[in-house]
Amino acid sequence: MTALWRLEALGPMDALKAANDRLDAMDEPPALAWSLFEQGEPARGRLDVLFAAQPKIDAFLADIGLDRDAVDVSFGPLPEEDWVRLSLQGLAPVEAGRFVVHGAHDADKVPAEKTGILIEAGPAFGTGHHGTTKGCLIAVDRLAAKDFAPHSVLDLGCGTGALAIAAAKLWPEAVIAASDIDSEAVLETRSNAEKNGVAGHLDVFEADGFESPKLEHARFDLILANILAGPLERLARQLAERLKPGGRAILSGLLDEQAERVATAYAKAGLKVAGRESFDGWTTLVLAEG
């Protein structure tokens, strides 16, 4: 395995939270993973950041707005370990409506009345532990509870494929497409679809937004897009054009303070907010024709 590198920054919580938020909002973050913790008291914090290769620390700190004189920084390589396996040991199953997102080690913890989605921790985003994935799954569950039954679904920016897999389990007769700009995410979604027994229901492919021959003329009853605020704004008109009459779109990857701006972009494209909920500082929007 390639050794990982870890940066630890200790200092005022306000400064570290701002840096954490900048990382969350980046289209292409330079790190593999990051977490923010209280350090003894609410006003003090610790930001842990993992890298796949040794970064230029001063440049990284500048990118996330951290003043090296204001925080204590330590940095170095981690011992070579199976970090995916170790991280799974700390990931408890996550309930989101009727769904329970879990690793293989917790398959026996899914209640009989719930729908399990097996997602292992890996390089793609979307284990269900983030407020955006959880929010989308709850929104999907609520649509199904209202007898919304799409014939065609697109998971745009599928990550691990959790949302596409949820749709396939809810609506096995639907035609479901899952796309991502990242080839690793495409491979992981295909693998997860196999593990969940829905591979035959998903068409998984690489695409940059709607730039794909498979999406050029396609229209959908339901579009799921858990990406980031900037790309969602840029895709507003294209996404609205790909939605069938009576269709719905579920958007996330939005910090709470970004939600109104994104909602405004979609209102200009003809879609109104039909539902909105926040989890852990992240907003999920459900959109319908205005």
Side-chain angles (χ1 to χ4, degrees):
M1 293 182 62
T2 301
L4 299 179
W5 292 75
R6 175 176 180 247
L7 178 145
E8 178 185 84
L10 302 172
M13 178 59 86
D14 288 348
L16 294 174
K17 185 178 186 307
N20 185 78
D21 290 346
R22 288 188 182 95
L23 276 167
D24 285 337
M26 288 181 179
D27 287 347
E28 297 183 7
L32 282 176
W34 53 93
S35 300
L36 181 63
F37 306 93
E38 280 189 12
Q39 191 72 7
E41 57 179 295
R44 298 284 296 174
R46 184 183 91 240
L47 180 65
D48 283 344
V49 187
L50 289 181
F51 302 88
Q54 183 174 3
K56 295 180 179 178
I57 295 303
D58 288 339
F60 171 74
L61 292 174
D63 286 345
I64 62 174
L66 273 185
D67 182 349
R68 194 157 192 169
D69 293 332
V71 294
D72 294 324
V73 176
S74 59
F75 177 73
L78 286 173
E80 292 192 8
E81 296 277 3
D82 186 348
W83 292 106
V84 169
R85 177 184 61 79
L86 293 176
S87 67
L88 280 171
Q89 294 174 358
L91 290 181
V94 173
E95 289 198 22
R98 76 186 67 194
F99 302 107
V100 177
V101 184
H102 64 91
H105 61 299
D106 279 325
D108 59 345
K109 296 180 183 178
V110 179
E113 70 276 11
K114 297 286 188 176
T115 300
I117 301 176
L118 170 58
I119 302 290
E120 301 286 22
F125 176 82
T127 62
H129 292 76
H130 198 277
T132 58
T133 308
K134 184 174 182 177
C136 288
L137 288 171
I138 288 174
V140 167
D141 177 54
R142 288 177 179 167
L143 282 181
K146 295 177 182 177
D147 295 324
F148 182 79
H151 298 291
S152 54
V153 179
L154 170 64
D155 183 359
L156 183 71
C158 54
T160 62
L163 303 183
I165 291 165
K169 292 195 172 196
L170 269 181
W171 303 297
E173 302 303 316
V175 176
I176 299 173
S179 67
D180 203 288
I181 193 172
D182 184 351
S183 59
E184 277 196 6
V186 170
L187 293 174
E188 193 167 347
T189 292
R190 288 174 179 159
S191 175
N192 286 330
E194 288 277 359
K195 293 173 185 175
N196 283 273
V198 297
H201 298 277
L202 268 60
D203 181 13
V204 187
F205 52 93
E206 194 171 336
D208 182 356
F210 289 98
E211 301 304 315
S212 166
K214 292 192 175 188
L215 296 174
E216 189 173 357
H217 301 295
R219 300 182 77 196
F220 301 91
D221 298 303
L222 176 62
I223 297 178
L224 309 164
N226 181 14
I227 43 179
L228 290 168
L232 284 173
E233 282 187 89
R234 293 193 293 272
L235 291 171
R237 191 156 299 281
Q238 285 179 289
L239 191 149
E241 290 172 351
R242 298 307 201 288
L243 207 58
K244 291 182 181 179
R248 295 288 186 273
I250 297 174
L251 312 182
S252 199
L254 318 171
L255 293 166
D256 288 343
E257 57 267 28
Q258 298 170 329
E260 199 55 45
R261 192 177 79 227
V262 173
T264 298
Y266 280 83
K268 291 177 180 177
L271 299 181
K272 66 179 181 181
V273 175
R276 178 195 304 241
E277 193 149 8
S278 173
F279 294 95
D280 303 324
W282 296 87
T283 292
T284 297
L285 299 175
V286 179
L287 305 177
E289 290 178 307

